[in-house]
Amino acid sequence: HQLLARPERRHTRLVQFNLGLYYERGNGVAQDFAEAARWNRLAADRGHPEAQHNLAVQYRNGTGLPQSDAEAARWSRLASDQGHAMSQFNLGVC
């Protein structure tokens, strides 16, 4: 994908989040859930709420990462604290 060809841009949380989506969906790259988790984690560590939510879902489902309800709740809480509605919902039903 073109974002991968521009190393200077890989360090922004928005680009990291988008790369996570590309790998999760196989959009312009081979679908790879572990690689999606890696990019989601980079963006999530930098406070991107959508990436935090996506990482929580990956932990909850064991998609590209070992399944962990504790990690799913932790990342959902971080996203929820930033007003992410789906994470707030997930915390209410988990």
Side-chain angles (χ1 to χ4, degrees):
H1 195 278
Q2 66 184 0
L3 290 175
L4 292 171
R6 303 214 26 214
E8 74 280 3
R9 295 195 58 205
R10 289 186 219 154
H11 300 290
T12 69
R13 69 184 194 161
L14 179 59
V15 170
Q16 291 165 341
F17 166 71
N18 284 327
L19 285 167
L21 288 178
Y22 295 153
Y23 278 104
E24 179 183 331
R25 297 174 181 168
N27 183 5
V29 294
Q31 189 175 44
D32 184 333
F33 294 115
E35 192 66 10
R38 185 176 83 80
W39 287 106
N40 280 331
R41 179 63 180 255
L42 288 170
D45 282 341
R46 297 180 82 182
H48 193 287
E50 289 282 337
Q52 291 169 338
H53 171 76
N54 289 354
L55 194 59
V57 170
Q58 287 189 271
Y59 272 115
R60 185 179 71 227
N61 296 331
T63 308
L65 296 164
Q67 195 282 330
S68 172
D69 291 335
E71 283 296 305
R74 183 171 86 82
W75 288 106
S76 286
R77 172 64 56 204
L78 289 170
S80 176
D81 288 348
Q82 294 188 71
H84 192 279
M86 281 303 294
S87 286
Q88 291 168 345
F89 175 80
N90 286 346
L91 285 170
V93 296
C94 291

